[in-house]
């Protein structure tokens, strides 16, 4: 999919050229400021090469690229930036690699999935006049929207942890509920980690743009504001990690308490059964017991009653001490 965006009186407007263009001649008539390629085909890459003189490598969005290849400038003026953008999906949150190339005052972006941040920028650009002035503005606004999207995702994590906290800190938590809570906590921890990685990557990209001296004074100040926003997100992710660790420890603690209750019951039962076991072992010996002769035929009920009493006495004692609760 190939989307081309052009400036019209300071407003960024976009059209889905893949549906409207069937030949490279139609692309040649546009004067874009931003060309967005989502999972582009070899033919679409050929259109870009013929129209703009830019060759897009096959592995441009591979995740196994070296860190040194993520931010660099070619001799012909091509500025390459590779960044990760967050997709806060309820089923599978993930980071998606996006490759940016700034060449001849046109921003080219290549990615394999549609991104919420890109949709957010397109929506804003249609609603706010003069939001975008050039290709560098597009890139900065994408990073700004990415920071805001990450902040919204952090708020959703906090809301989820509040619900988890309410279920964990109630009076009784059984093992089934505790297992569900641990799974929910693990999901939020994974998302929080992805957000932290995402904002760290955004910080590196914005810092690279500032060091490259490609920004004017207004854009440089906007970059500094983005970095300040990212710093606040960093501290918030650290707070959420602490909260996640607390809830994890509390949940594991409740599981241990439930297990200790079970172990306590077995311990009490084993201790209570020791006296009748001793009585049975004594009277089971092949020896002469005078008291049984005194009791006559009541010897057998006597031994059984003694065994029952030896079981009841420890249970009554443990109950009075409160050890059976």
């Amino acid at each position: 999919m190939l989307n081309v965006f052009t400036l019209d009186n300071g407003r960024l407007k976009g059209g889905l050229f893949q549906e409207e263009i069937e030949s490279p001649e139609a692309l040649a008539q546009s004067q874009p400021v931003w060309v967005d390629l989502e999972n582009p085909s070899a033919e679409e890459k050929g259109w870009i090469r013929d129209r703009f003189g830019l060759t897009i490598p096959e592995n441009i969005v591979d995740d196994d690229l070296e860190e040194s290849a993520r931010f660099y400038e070619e001799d012909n003026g091509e500025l390459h930036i590779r960044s990760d953008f967050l997709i806060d999906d309820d089923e599978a949150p993930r980071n998606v690699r996006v490759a940016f190339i700034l060449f001849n005052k046109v921003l080219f972006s290549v990615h394999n999935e549609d991104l919420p941040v890109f949709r957010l920028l397109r929506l804003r650009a249609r609603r706010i006049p003069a939001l975008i002035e050039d290709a560098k503005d597009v890139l900065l606004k994408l990073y700004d929207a990415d920071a805001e999207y990450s902040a919204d995702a952090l708020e959703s994590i906090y809301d989820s942890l509040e619900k988890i906290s309410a279920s964990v800190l109630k009076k009784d938590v059984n093992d089934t509920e505790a297992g569900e809570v641990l799974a929910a906590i693990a999901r939020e921890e994974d998302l929080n980690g992805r957000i932290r990685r995402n904002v760290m990557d955004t910080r590196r990209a914005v810092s690279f743009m500032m060091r490259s001296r490609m920004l004017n004074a207004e854009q440089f100040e906007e970059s500094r504001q983005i970095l300040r926003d990212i710093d606040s997100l960093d501290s918030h992710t650290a707070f959420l990690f602490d909260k996640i660790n607390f809830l994890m420890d509390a949940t594991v603690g409740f599981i241990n308490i439930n297990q200790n209750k079970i172990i306590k019951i077995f311990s009490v039962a084993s201790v209570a059964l020791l006296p009748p076991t001793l009585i049975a072992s004594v009277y089971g010996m092949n020896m002469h017991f005078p008291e049984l002769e005194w009791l006559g035929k009541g010897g057998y009920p006597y031994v059984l009653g003694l065994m029952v009493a030896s079981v009841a006495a420890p249970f009554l004692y443990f109950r009075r001490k409160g050890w059976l609760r």
Side-chain angles (χ1 to χ4, degrees):
M1 182 178 296
L2 192 152
N3 296 291
V4 177
F5 301 91
T6 59
L7 288 175
D8 182 19
N9 295 326
R11 181 190 292 270
L12 183 68
K13 65 177 184 180
L16 193 58
F17 274 55
Q18 186 178 12
E19 296 180 355
E20 301 176 0
I21 294 181
E22 298 180 356
S23 65
E25 289 77 15
L27 180 62
Q29 298 177 3
S30 65
Q31 297 294 327
V33 68
W34 176 25
V35 179
D36 183 37
L37 298 97
E38 179 184 338
N39 197 18
S41 64
E43 183 182 17
E44 291 170 339
K45 291 181 179 179
W47 294 354
I48 297 298
R49 182 183 61 251
D50 296 339
R51 167 67 173 83
F52 300 99
L54 176 67
T55 301
I56 300 177
E58 291 294 331
N59 64 340
I60 192 169
V61 291
D62 285 355
D63 291 335
D64 57 351
L65 288 174
E66 296 181 0
E67 294 299 318
S68 59
R70 297 187 66 180
F71 310 98
Y72 64 93
E73 186 173 0
E74 296 280 9
D75 294 336
N76 61 354
E78 295 180 15
L79 188 69
H80 290 255
I81 299 177
R82 292 173 175 83
S83 297
D84 294 331
F85 285 79
L86 177 70
I87 296 181
D88 183 9
D89 193 322
D90 293 336
E91 296 181 357
R94 57 198 178 276
N95 295 90
V96 177
R97 177 67 54 83
V98 180
F100 294 106
I101 303 176
L102 191 61
F103 181 61
N104 288 340
K105 298 182 179 181
V106 179
L107 177 67
F108 300 87
S109 56
V110 185
H111 51 95
N112 293 328
E113 296 184 59
D114 188 24
L115 296 168
V117 170
F118 284 49
R119 295 196 300 267
L120 178 61
L121 177 61
R122 293 195 294 264
L123 180 63
R124 287 181 175 177
R126 293 188 183 99
R127 291 182 176 180
I128 304 175
L131 179 67
I132 305 295
E133 294 183 358
D134 56 23
K136 293 177 288 186
D137 267 346
V138 175
L139 190 54
L140 279 179
K141 292 298 188 297
L142 282 173
Y143 286 130
D144 186 28
D146 185 44
E148 184 174 343
Y149 182 78
S150 298
D152 293 339
L154 287 175
E155 289 182 4
S156 68
I157 292 177
Y158 187 83
D159 294 338
S160 298
L161 292 179
E162 285 295 305
K163 296 178 182 178
I164 294 172
S165 178
S167 61
V168 169
L169 301 180
K170 67 180 185 180
K171 186 175 181 181
D172 294 318
V173 178
N174 58 43
D175 290 346
T176 302
E177 293 173 341
E180 294 174 354
V181 166
L182 286 177
I185 292 175
R187 288 193 296 269
E188 301 306 328
E189 192 277 339
D190 176 72
L191 178 56
N192 195 48
R194 291 182 181 278
I195 293 173
R196 186 154 196 168
R197 171 189 171 185
N198 185 63
V199 297
M200 179 186 68
D201 192 82
T202 302
R203 176 191 289 115
R204 293 178 58 195
V206 174
S207 298
F208 172 76
M209 294 177 64
M210 297 173 70
R211 292 194 305 270
S212 64
R213 298 181 180 180
M214 56 179 284
L215 306 176
N216 57 36
E218 183 178 352
Q219 292 169 340
F220 191 87
E221 182 59 32
E222 183 177 357
S223 300
R224 294 179 60 183
Q225 181 59 47
I226 294 174
L227 293 181
R228 286 193 290 267
D229 293 340
I230 290 175
D231 289 338
S232 66
L233 294 180
D234 263 346
S235 60
H236 198 63
T237 56
F239 163 74
L240 289 179
F241 274 128
D242 291 339
K243 188 174 182 65
I244 288 171
N245 289 332
F246 166 74
L247 292 176
M248 185 76 72
D249 293 340
T251 305
V252 173
F254 281 120
I255 293 176
N256 292 333
I257 290 174
N258 292 337
Q259 292 177 346
N260 289 337
K261 289 179 181 178
I262 298 174
I263 294 174
K264 182 175 67 173
I265 293 174
F266 281 110
S267 300
V268 169
S270 61
V271 171
L273 292 176
L274 284 177
T277 303
L278 177 62
I279 295 172
S281 62
V282 170
Y283 285 102
M285 292 186 293
N286 189 16
M287 295 177 62
H288 177 69
F289 298 99
E291 65 273 17
L292 297 181
E293 293 182 357
W294 300 338
L295 294 172
K297 294 182 179 180
Y300 179 68
Y302 161 75
V303 174
L304 290 180
L306 186 61
M307 293 172 67
V308 171
S310 65
V311 173
F315 271 108
L316 292 174
Y317 178 77
F318 294 151
R319 184 176 181 182
R320 180 174 297 179
K321 288 291 188 179
W323 295 348
L324 298 179
R325 298 176 182 175

